[in-house]
């Protein structure tokens, strides 16, 4: 299948409907990005769910789609901003809200840089659909779809609760958000309907499937009466983690359990702080047993509103936003607080009051857990599968 675009003959990339229907096993190309664990975590979970529905998947890292290792440089600059120059990241993040007219030129630029590799991946995979879990990938794929270079439908799964303008492109066929609030915001930005689905969280975090609370606490060295608070800082361990641990531990009423992610230096610093200040705390490095860690804790204190927050919500553990990282962290915290699925603490005193209310059964804990549990409903994989089967043939050649 081919068509003329701007005077030059170009082949539309992707499998034609007839060939697609003839496949014994349908294929979905999933485009994520190794920017922390949130985008990749959602991609892996969605790929697993699609496989359960009969689709095979090919997961690719969008950061590998650009020339001259530009993706690695982007990841490193992002990490440097979060760790050492948070004010610059906040300014950059907010700039797109103040100047949304810059988004379309950026989408065209990103598409120019990445289209060669993206189209090569599409040719190799022969997918019936493409799924993006990263905003710049969404911009590039949406632009390719809009300009007629891409023949198969594209789904955009927004991993954040707060919707940034760069998460949106009107060229994609399906936009998925994790709550009605983000869905309304995405629709306002794109001018097209957005669909609500549940967060892409593993079924290992279902309350019925969690490890034993008693055994999980034993593994962490927690006594039964202790009120344990998981301090989560993402896979990179960024943010004001040390101060958060001190604020949680102040007064000795709560025991911080700290997930340092892959940051070994953070773990070493916290070990020294705990020893020097005779603080009761559990400091963890990278762990593959997050279901057990969350099962052992009474509350999660989070600074980004990312994957760990959604995992806690599915497990029925309340989440408090505190000392959030700039940019998407603050945006997520504000949107989640507005929706009632997390509680936000502005300072150490407010944090202490919230932990008092949420670490034991009561109306505050019940209301927040109930609001968060309502987010888990429609399966995003089923909505993606429905997009494949209902997309009119005309859209495959637009």
């Amino acid at each position: 299948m081919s068509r003329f675009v701007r005077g030059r003959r170009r082949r539309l990339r992707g499998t034609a409907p007839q060939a697609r229907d003839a496949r014994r096993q349908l294929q979905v190309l999933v485009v994520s990005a190794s920017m922390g664990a949130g985008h990749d975590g959602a991609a892996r979970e969605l790929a697993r769910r699609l496989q359960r529905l009969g689709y095979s998947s090919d997961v690719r890292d969008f950061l590998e789609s650009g020339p001259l290792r530009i993706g690695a440089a982007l990841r490193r600059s992002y990490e440097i901003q979060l760790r050492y120059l948070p004010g610059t990241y906040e300014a950059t993040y907010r700039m797109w809200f103040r100047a949304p007219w810059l988004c379309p030129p950026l989408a065209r630029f990103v598409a120019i840089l990445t289209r060669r590799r993206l189209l090569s991946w599409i040719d190799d995979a022969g997918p019936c659909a493409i799924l993006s879990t990263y905003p710049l990938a969404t911009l590039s794929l949406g632009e390719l779809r809009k300009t007629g270079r891409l023949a198969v439908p594209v789904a955009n799964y927004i991993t954040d609760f707060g919707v940034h303008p760069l998460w949106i492109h009107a060229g994609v066929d399906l936009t998925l958000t994790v709550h009605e609030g983000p869905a309304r915001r995405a629709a306002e930005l794109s001018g097209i309907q957005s669909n609500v689905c549940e967060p892409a969280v593993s079924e290992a975090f279902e309350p019925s499937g969690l490890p034993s609370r008693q055994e999980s606490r034993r593994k962490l060295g927690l006594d039964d009466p202790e009120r344990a608070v998981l301090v989560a800082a993402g896979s990179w361990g960024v943010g004001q983690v040390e101060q958060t641990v001190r604020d949680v531990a102040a007064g000795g009423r709560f025991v911080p359990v700290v997930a340092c992610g892959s940051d070994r230096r953070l773990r070493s610093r916290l070990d020294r702080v705990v020893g020097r200040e005779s603080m009761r705390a559990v400091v963890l490095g990278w762990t593959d047993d997050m279901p057990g860690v969350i099962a052992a804790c009474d509350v999660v204190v989070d600074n980004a509103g990312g994957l760990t927050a959604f995992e806690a919500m599915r497990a029925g553990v309340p989440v408090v936003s505190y000392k959030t990282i700039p940019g998407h962290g603050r945006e997520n915290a504000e949107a989640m607080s507005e929706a009632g699925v997390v509680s936000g603490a502005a300072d150490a005193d407010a944090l202490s009051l919230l932990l008092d209310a949420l670490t034991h059964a009561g109306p505050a804990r019940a209301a927040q857990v109930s609001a968060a549990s309502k987010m888990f409903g429609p399966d995003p994989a089923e909505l993606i599968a429905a997009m494949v089967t209902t997309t009119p043939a005309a859209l495959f050649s637009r």
Side-chain angles (χ1 to χ4, degrees), residues 29-209:
L29 175 64
V30 183
V31 185
S32 180
S34 52
M35 289 283 203
H39 303 290
D40 283 343
R44 288 192 299 269
E45 174 62 16
L46 289 169
R48 186 193 66 80
R49 295 188 186 195
L50 286 165
Q51 185 176 15
R52 189 172 58 191
L53 296 176
Y55 293 82
S56 60
S57 59
D58 183 12
V59 181
R60 299 284 186 144
D61 187 347
F62 182 75
L63 299 186
E64 297 177 357
S65 65
L68 303 174
R69 297 183 58 81
I70 192 172
L74 178 64
R75 178 175 53 234
R76 182 57 179 157
S77 64
Y78 172 61
E79 184 177 1
I80 288 172
Q81 279 188 300
L82 285 179
R83 288 189 186 279
Y84 309 113
L85 301 167
T88 65
Y89 177 60
E90 176 72 15
T92 303
Y93 185 90
R94 296 296 170 188
M95 178 189 73
W96 301 99
F97 288 93
R98 294 191 293 269
W101 52 270
L102 290 174
C103 294
L106 178 66
R108 291 191 288 271
F109 178 67
V110 173
I112 289 171
L113 286 179
T114 61
R115 66 190 179 197
R116 182 175 179 180
R117 184 66 60 85
L118 281 176
L119 294 175
S120 174
W121 292 345
I122 292 165
D123 280 344
D124 290 343
C128 63
I130 304 170
L131 167 64
S132 169
T133 64
Y134 179 61
L136 294 186
T138 295
L139 292 185
S140 187
L141 291 166
E143 194 67 18
L144 293 173
R145 193 83 169 105
K146 174 185 173 182
T147 56
R149 290 174 176 267
L150 185 54
V152 295
V154 174
N156 172 29
Y157 178 85
I158 299 179
T159 58
D160 286 325
F161 209 96
V163 181
H164 191 273
L166 295 183
W167 261 118
I168 300 300
H169 196 291
V172 304
D173 301 271
L174 176 67
T175 295
L176 298 172
T177 62
V178 296
H179 190 271
E180 293 177 357
R184 287 193 296 269
R185 178 58 176 157
E188 291 171 0
L189 291 172
S190 66
I192 58 177
Q193 180 180 352
S194 297
N195 296 264
V196 179
C197 65
E198 68 179 21
V201 173
S202 169
E203 59 190 12
F205 293 91
E206 281 280 1
S208 59

Side-chain angles (χ1 to χ4, degrees), residues 311-345:
E311 291 169 345
M313 290 176 193
R314 184 160 193 179
V317 176
V319 178
V320 175
S321 294
Y322 185 62
K323 292 194 178 298
T324 52
I325 63 176
H328 67 279
R330 292 173 185 168
E331 187 80 9
N332 287 341
E334 291 174 4
M336 286 177 162
S337 295
E338 184 178 344
V341 298
V342 306
S343 297

